[in-house]
């Protein structure tokens, strides 16, 4: 696997491949788990060259303590990506992505960043669209894979693509769960045993709702 820390090195490498190859991007913040690896696997089905980015994006953290505590097991991430057959890892610094610390970003996401998670994390989805836009500009992928776990994130990224008129196809991949139903997430390492048990309420509630819905519409 090739590893690049700068945009210029990455672009120079990708430019040598671009003519013949479809590029698939899997943007991540690292602390990789099976869910991320399933995105790499899916990207491989659609692209000749699979690029993964690991960048803990400061602009999407509304709480500085959350940013500080975000897990960063980079050596383990690199070996997971190598075993998963990822071709390229883009591992930039904050200065590389945000050379101008005063840069202002705002796009009109309508109601999409004002509901659900957006209500509780002001600025979060603006930060997500800002960094994903930059990654798309740098890598210029034809496809990009995202996990359905972050459903609202996919909606805002799709909206950003429409606004910026970028020709990237989003590939939405199913949620990967532990056997007990807990959705895999990098942040799970920060949950206590008790916290993990409590988190299961979400998958249980979803399953209960699904069970109560008939498979076919009622009028049939
Ligand atoms: O889902 C994530 O890990 C992040 O929000 C993303 C898409 C990599 C942007 O930083």
């Amino acid at each position: 696997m090739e590893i690049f820390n700068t945009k210029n090195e990455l672009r120079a490498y990708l430019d040598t491949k671009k003519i013949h190859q479809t590029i698939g991007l899997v943007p991540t913040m690292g602390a990789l788990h099976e869910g991320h690896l399933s995105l790499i696997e899916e990207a491989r089905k659609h692209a000749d060259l699979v690029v993964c980015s690991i960048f803990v994006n400061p602009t999407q953290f509304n709480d500085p303590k959350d940013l500080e505590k975000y897990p960063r097991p980079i050596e383990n991430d690199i070996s997971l990506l190598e075993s998963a057959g990822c071709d390229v890892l883009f591992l930039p610094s904050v200065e590389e992505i945000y050379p101008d610390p005063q840069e202002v970003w705002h796009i009109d996401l309508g109601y999409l960043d004002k509901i659900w998670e957006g209500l509780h994390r002001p600025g979060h989805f603006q930060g997500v669209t800002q960094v994903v836009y930059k990654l798309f500009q740098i890598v210029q992928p034809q496809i990009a894979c995202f996990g359905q776990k972050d459903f609202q994130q996919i909606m805002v990224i799709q909206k950003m693509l429409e606004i910026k008129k970028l020709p990237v196809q989003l590939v939405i991949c199913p949620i990967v769960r532990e056997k007990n139903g807990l959705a895999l997430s990098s942040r799970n390492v920060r949950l206590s045993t008790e916290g993990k048990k409590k988190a299961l309420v979400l998958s249980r509630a979803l399953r209960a709702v699904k069970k109560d819905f008939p498979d076919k519409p009622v009028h049939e």
Side-chain angles (χ1 to χ4, degrees), residues 83-190:
S83 332
C86 179
D87 300 303
V88 175
L89 168 60
F90 181 42
L91 189 59
S93 63
V94 173
E95 295 71 33
E96 185 67 15
I97 296 294
Y98 297 109
D100 172 8
Q102 309 301 325
E103 181 189 303
V104 178
W105 167 272
H106 187 269
I107 54 169
D108 185 2
L109 296 167
Y111 68 90
L112 291 180
D113 62 342
K114 298 182 186 58
I115 55 168
W116 304 333
E117 195 175 355
L119 265 183
H120 306 281
R121 299 180 73 186
H124 167 68
F125 288 116
Q126 288 294 331
V128 168
T129 52
Q130 179 182 26
V131 76
V132 172
Y133 176 71
K134 281 173 181 278
L135 292 168
F136 283 177
Q137 296 281 72
I138 298 166
V139 179
Q140 297 167 25
Q142 283 84 359
I143 68 117
C145 296
F146 292 89
Q148 200 173 20
K149 175 172 72 63
D150 301 307
F151 179 69
Q152 191 171 7
Q153 170 165 279
I154 296 168
M155 291 166 72
V156 298
I157 293 171
Q158 186 61 56
K159 181 81 181 169
M160 180 273 285
L161 288 178
E162 284 160 27
I163 294 170
K164 297 288 185 185
K165 298 188 171 47
L166 292 186
V168 182
Q169 186 205 329
L170 300 187
V171 178
I172 300 164
C173 306
I175 299 175
V176 179
R177 295 179 182 277
E178 286 183 17
K179 272 206 189 94
N180 62 12
L182 184 65
L184 297 188
S185 163
S186 306
R187 282 193 167 85
N188 287 358
V189 294
R190 286 172 50 195

